Amino acid sequence: EVQLVESGGGLVQPGGSLRLSCAASGFTFSTYAMTWVRQAPGEGLEWVSGISGSGGRTYYADSVKGRFIISRDNSKNTLYLQMNSLRAEDTAVYYCAKEVHHSSGWSAFDYWGQGTLVTVSS
Amino acid sequence: DIQMTQSPSSLSASVGDRVTITCRASQSINNYLNWYQQKPGKAPKFLIYAASSLQSGIPSRFSGSGSGTDFTLTISSLQPEDFATYYCQQSYSTPLTFGQGTKVEIK
């Protein structure tokens, strides 16, 4: 059974940093790209960042580029999101999700964690 | 960036109703369109991929169609557990983008 468990959320002051983790199990972690999606309170879903299975390719939304760093440790089956220079607008539930890619080109997020809440406030 | 626009933003329906949600992309995305269901306080759940293919374990009352810029999600006979918010998402290019969501409420 695929399981994704996020941790590391909490209250942080504007300008501060936080590192989120996502522990994965139930699948061959290194084979799959992974992603972070966030949801501000009462709002919709926003893709934040993605990383290839090897970790060699990373992708970011413009809203976090230069501030957030996605990484993974395939020996620990864990995905990370280092969040720096945090702003009030980064307040959200952060979900990690496993990606599935097809040879025809499409991809999707087939499994999601339960989310971890990040609150940026003084 | 590719903008995804869903309509309506919300709808009220009764159990047994046929429900259709529309998603429009700001440019052609072939069939690189996915649908997710989210219930309050829960993570999104993957429903449909490549515009019309049902994810394993999803009831057959859910279906998707479309290609290019216009897509639809249809629930053929709404069940009590289907009251939720539905999101479309394009995987054609980064940044990957979602529609703003359609909330399906009980009439």
Side-chain angles (χ1 to χ4, degrees), chain B residues 34-76:
Chain B
N34 306 309
W35 289 97
Y36 302 87
Q37 175 195 67
Q38 187 180 33
K39 296 181 180 180
K42 300 294 187 181
K45 180 180 181 180
F46 180 37
L47 297 179
I48 287 173
Y49 60 94
S52 59
S53 296
L54 208 59
Q55 170 67 345
S56 175
I58 302 302
S60 59
R61 62 180 180 273
F62 290 92
S63 64
S65 65
S67 184
T69 60
D70 294 320
F71 303 87
T72 59
L73 171 70
T74 299
I75 309 172
S76 60

Side-chain angles (χ1 to χ4, degrees), chain A residues 39 47 95 104 106-109 113, chain B residues 32 34 36 38 43 49 91 96:
Chain A
Q39 187 169 36
W47 174 79
Y95 295 101
S104 65
W106 63 260
S107 64
F109 310 134
Chain B
Y32 295 177
N34 306 309
Y36 302 87
Q38 187 180 33
Y49 60 94
S91 64
L96 306 176

